[in-house]
Amino acid sequence: MNNVVAQYLEAWNTREPGARRSAVARLFTPQVGYVDPMVAVNGHAELEAAIAGVQTQFPDWTFRLAGPVDAHHDQVRFTWGLGPADGDAVVIGFDVAVLVDGRIDRVYGFLDHVPAAA
């Protein structure tokens, strides 16, 4: 499951649209559902748009793993941080992903720390 989480974070950090589209198609089921306190989307196109929106809002920030990966059966949870590549995470959250046939089908995201300016 660590590999799935690494690919997931890589997809959120991929800025080139064609490469991001390929990463989303490879990692997520076509009917993927993603929900967090800021957005709820379904399918590859909507997920790509959500990722692009975060990248536009935080152009020089990256997602990185911020703790151990915990997994059982076909689900995984992990904490991530978002912040400047050369600095501390400013936003911290955790996601729970449910896999179907080795691909992510559902993501339930939670935000643990969001500063007022973010």
Side-chain angles (χ1 to χ4, degrees), residues 1 3-5 7-8 23-30 73-76 97-106:
M1 292 287 192
N3 189 40
V4 169
V5 172
Q7 290 178 52
Y8 176 84
V24 167
R26 180 179 61 254
L27 184 60
F28 297 90
T29 64
H73 297 87
D74 287 326
Q75 56 191 358
V76 60
V98 179
L99 284 70
V100 172
D101 295 328
R103 295 169 74 194
I104 298 173
D105 187 62
R106 294 279 172 249

Side-chain angles (χ1 to χ4, degrees), residues 28 32 42 55 70:
F28 297 90
V32 62
N42 290 293
Q55 292 174 350
D70 184 22

Side-chain angles (χ1 to χ4, degrees), residues 11-111:
W12 278 88
N13 288 327
T14 299
R15 299 196 178 273
E16 196 283 313
R20 184 176 55 240
R21 197 168 20 260
S22 294
V24 167
R26 180 179 61 254
L27 184 60
F28 297 90
T29 64
Q31 69 279 0
V32 62
Y34 175 94
V35 62
D36 69 24
M38 310 295 283
V39 67
V41 298
N42 290 293
H44 288 173
E46 289 182 11
L47 179 58
E48 285 181 64
I51 293 171
V54 170
Q55 292 174 350
T56 298
Q57 186 175 2
F58 305 106
D60 298 320
W61 289 11
T62 59
F63 285 91
R64 56 190 169 264
L65 190 61
V69 174
D70 184 22
H72 63 83
H73 297 87
D74 287 326
Q75 56 191 358
V76 60
R77 70 176 175 165
F78 55 95
T79 300
W80 50 262
L82 173 64
D86 59 352
D88 293 333
V90 177
V91 179
I92 299 169
F94 82 89
D95 290 353
V96 175
V98 179
L99 284 70
V100 172
D101 295 328
R103 295 169 74 194
I104 298 173
D105 187 62
R106 294 279 172 249
V107 178
Y108 305 99
F110 297 84
L111 300 175

